[in-house]
Amino acid sequence: MIRASAPAKAILFGEHAVVYGHPAIAFPIHGLCCEVTGAKSSDERTHIIAPETGESLYVDEDFEHPLIFAWKLAQEALEQELPATHFQICSTIPIAAGFGSGAALSAALIRACQLVAGIELPLKQLNQLVYVVEKHYHGNPSGIDNHVVVFQRPLYFQRGNAPEFINLKAGMPIIGLRCGGGAPTRTVVEDVRLRRLAYPDQINPMLESIAVITKAAKEALLAGDMAYVGELMYENHSLLKKLGVSSSTQDRVVEFACANGALGAKMSGAGWGGQVLVLTAPGSLADFSKKLCAAGYPPVFSEVIV
Ligand code: PMV
């Protein structure tokens, strides 16, 4: 039996702007993960089972499915026909809610294929393979999701550049919540694209302001100035709201966090529902999680990011 995994991810700053070449900052969430186990198949066919999505696929049947696409790419990269394997997926990552579930699934499955083949591809190549799957199914992804789930470190990312890993001086106490299912990333990204084409004088300055915030946030993170990181999160959220990608529930959670003394909060990911991140003061992660629960906003994860 082989076992491979990949973590969830969250975007701390810069979503949407990153699609247009501006920087973004993201981190892996180790408390949420996608695990793929593999064992020799009993019927000589490769079978992928994903109980969370109710899928049971034979790889020789549905070539259009992202998991089968990822499995085929892995075979090509490994330059061998893999033995018939029974793959089972077990994931705690919420689907379509800004947690990078698709990228984590591809990364974990390709890693599992590497273990079946007994070959380890360089991380750079694994990253490229996951990006190809993302691109095939999500249109024009910036590439931030694959970088985070493959390299598994907080990073500052800008399209076309090598990622800059961020060593967080102080741990970052973060709570993540899910505010309904988010809209498909592709739909929200396309909406922003069309509005940017129609109203460049309104949309471009917002994306540029998000970039300024992201650059300031990188310096604040490196300096361990979490109070300033929090302020910048609120500012980034206001801009995303103005950009028209937030939802009323996400706005309410951000307002609740602010009114209750969180250092910062913002929506995360593509939006129109989905994820909200809350940055708490050091040592108050557990208390703040309880407050959120009591208000009807149960956290999906709560961890000190390092
Ligand atoms: O919601 P997610 O995890 O798919 O994140 C989307 C982030 C965007 O910046 C909106 C798109 C992208 O490709 O970076």
Side-chain angles (χ1 to χ4, degrees):
M1 165 92 79
I2 54 97
R3 198 178 288 276
S5 66
K9 73 94 194 35
I11 298 179
L12 189 60
F13 291 98
E15 51 273 270
H16 288 288
V18 69
V19 173
Y20 300 97
H22 296 299
I25 296 172
F27 60 85
I29 305 163
H30 293 289
L32 297 173
C33 111
C34 175
E35 188 179 79
V36 176
T37 54
K40 194 175 171 321
S41 165
S42 54
D43 63 1
E44 300 304 314
R45 289 173 81 192
T46 290
H47 193 193
I48 305 176
I49 298 184
E52 286 81 18
T53 52
E55 286 166 304
S56 170
L57 311 155
Y58 280 104
V59 296
D60 47 12
E61 274 176 355
D62 177 1
F63 296 113
E64 278 309 307
H65 195 285
L67 284 171
I68 298 179
F69 185 71
W71 172 83
K72 281 176 71 183
L73 277 183
Q75 289 216 114
E76 279 166 30
L78 293 162
E79 296 177 348
Q80 60 173 271
E81 204 173 304
L82 295 173
T85 307
H86 178 89
F87 290 109
Q88 175 99 23
I89 293 161
C90 177
S91 179
T92 54
I93 307 177
I95 295 167
F99 290 90
S101 62
L105 191 46
S106 305
L109 181 62
I110 298 171
R111 280 201 173 112
C113 291
Q114 294 181 53
L115 291 173
V116 169
I119 295 173
E120 196 177 340
L121 298 170
L123 283 185
K124 219 173 152 182
Q125 193 178 359
L126 173 62
N127 181 40
Q128 186 57 29
L129 294 175
V130 178
Y131 181 61
V132 172
V133 184
E134 290 283 285
K135 210 166 151 174
H136 196 73
Y137 291 96
H138 303 296
N140 180 27
S142 62
I144 193 163
D145 283 23
N146 45 287
H147 275 85
V148 182
V149 305
V150 168
F151 292 103
Q152 304 189 16
R153 292 178 60 185
L155 52 85
Y156 179 85
F157 172 85
Q158 195 158 13
R159 262 186 136 148
N161 293 350
E164 290 175 43
F165 298 111
I166 298 181
N167 285 320
L168 292 168
K169 252 198 189 148
M172 191 171 57
I174 291 269
I175 299 170
L177 303 108
R178 183 181 184 175
C179 298
T185 299
R186 196 184 194 123
T187 312
V188 192
V189 169
E190 178 61 5
D191 181 76
V192 173
R193 190 185 73 81
L194 292 176
R195 284 188 290 116
R196 180 170 172 267
L197 280 179
Y199 312 106
D201 295 347
Q202 286 172 32
I203 303 294
N204 282 326
M206 289 182 215
L207 299 174
E208 279 150 24
S209 299
I210 291 175
V212 171
I213 289 174
T214 305
K215 287 175 194 161
K218 178 185 157 192
E219 299 310 320
L221 285 166
L222 290 172
D225 186 350
M226 289 303 151
Y228 190 39
V229 171
E231 272 175 43
L232 293 167
M233 285 172 77
Y234 286 128
E235 279 181 36
N236 194 164
H237 181 78
S238 298
L239 281 161
L240 289 165
K241 187 174 167 184
K242 221 163 127 190
L243 188 63
V245 296
S246 187
S247 73
S248 53
T249 319
Q250 287 173 305
D251 296 340
R252 267 202 303 279
V253 176
V254 171
E255 279 155 26
F256 177 89
C258 184
N260 285 275
L263 294 185
K266 68 179 272 292
M267 60 153 277
S268 172
W272 290 355
Q275 200 181 166
V276 169
L277 296 175
V278 176
L279 175 67
T280 74
S284 46
L285 203 52
D287 282 351
F288 213 93
S289 293
K290 277 189 207 146
K291 256 187 213 171
L292 286 163
C293 265
Y297 305 123
V300 173
F301 75 92
S302 160
E303 56 188 77
V304 178
I305 310 297
V306 285

